[in-house]
Amino acid sequence: MKAGFPAARAGQRIGLLGGSFDPAHEGHAHLTRTALRSFGLDRVWWLVSPGNPLKSEGPAPLARRLKAAREVMQHPRVTITDAEAKLGTRHTAATLEALIRLYPGVRFTWLMGADNLAQIHRWERWPSIFAQVPVGVIARPGNPLWARTSRAAQLMRNDRLRRAEARLLGGAIPPAWCYLRGPQIDLSSTDIRARGDWVR
C-alpha cells in the first residue's frame, strides 16, 4: 500500500463518507455508526476533501479539519484520511476510480446523507458513482420526500434495496442503493459556522 493511505485487504467492505467536514460534527458520527450497524460494512473511512467543487468559498485548512474530525469520530472501525488530497482528485467519481485501482478486491460503498441524494444529479459524472459502487443513503432532518423523489432516486428506483435487505449493501454488485430512515441528529456544518462556533 502507498505510504499515507489507509490499510485494507481484498474482500473487506469499506464505507466511504466524503465531504469537507467544515467542521465535522455529531451528525457525521451518527451517520457513520448507523452505516456500520446497518450496511454490512467492516470499516468506514472519512474522506476529508481538499474542498467542495460545488461551493465557491473554500473550507478551513485541511489539517485543522482532519484534527477536528478525529476528535469527533473516535471509533476502532473508523479511519479519518486525507486520501483525496493525496490522490489529487476533486470529484467523487474520480476519487472512486482511483481508490478502486489502488485497492483491488476491496468492496467500497459510498455513504451520504439524504440531503446529498436530493442534489447528487449536480455532481460531476454522478451516474458513474452508482455504476462503480453501492450507495448507502441515510435520512437527514427535514422532509424526506425531496430525497426519495429526487432525480437520482427516480432514475435509480429499480436498483434500490429494501430496508430489510440493507445488510446486503456492502457486498452488493452495483448499481445498488439503499435508503434508511431512523433517529436523526439535527446538526449541520453550515449552522455551526453561522453560530460562530467554527471560524475558517
Side-chain angles (χ1 to χ4, degrees), residues 28-164:
H28 296 126
H30 172 73
L31 189 155
T32 300
R33 290 190 294 267
T34 300
L36 280 168
R37 189 169 58 245
S38 304
F39 292 141
L41 302 173
D42 298 310
R43 299 188 61 83
V44 169
W45 296 351
W46 282 16
L47 302 178
V48 182
S49 69
N52 186 335
L54 294 180
K55 295 181 180 178
S56 57
E57 185 179 354
L62 180 58
R64 183 175 174 226
R65 290 182 286 125
L66 285 165
K67 181 177 183 292
R70 291 180 176 122
E71 291 170 354
V72 167
M73 186 77 251
Q74 299 181 27
H75 192 289
R77 293 165 58 198
V78 178
T79 299
I80 314 300
T81 177
D82 60 350
E84 196 167 38
K86 289 182 170 67
L87 291 168
T89 57
R90 290 294 303 273
H91 298 283
T92 299
T95 297
L96 291 173
E97 289 167 352
L99 288 174
I100 289 168
R101 285 195 304 269
L102 195 60
Y103 294 90
V106 172
R107 307 296 298 272
F108 290 114
T109 296
W110 184 254
L111 304 173
M112 61 185 178
D115 49 338
N116 279 322
L117 178 64
Q119 51 90 44
I120 195 172
H121 60 275
R122 296 172 53 206
W123 295 16
E124 180 86 8
R125 295 193 294 128
W126 72 267
S128 173
I129 298 169
F130 286 86
Q132 292 184 78
V133 296
V135 176
V137 182
I138 296 173
R140 293 276 293 138
N143 185 349
L145 284 178
W146 35 261
R148 289 185 290 144
T149 61
S150 67
R151 179 179 173 189
Q154 291 301 305
L155 290 172
M156 307 298 295
R157 61 185 177 275
N158 293 333
D159 302 305
R160 181 177 172 183
L161 301 184
R162 299 188 302 273
R163 182 183 180 89

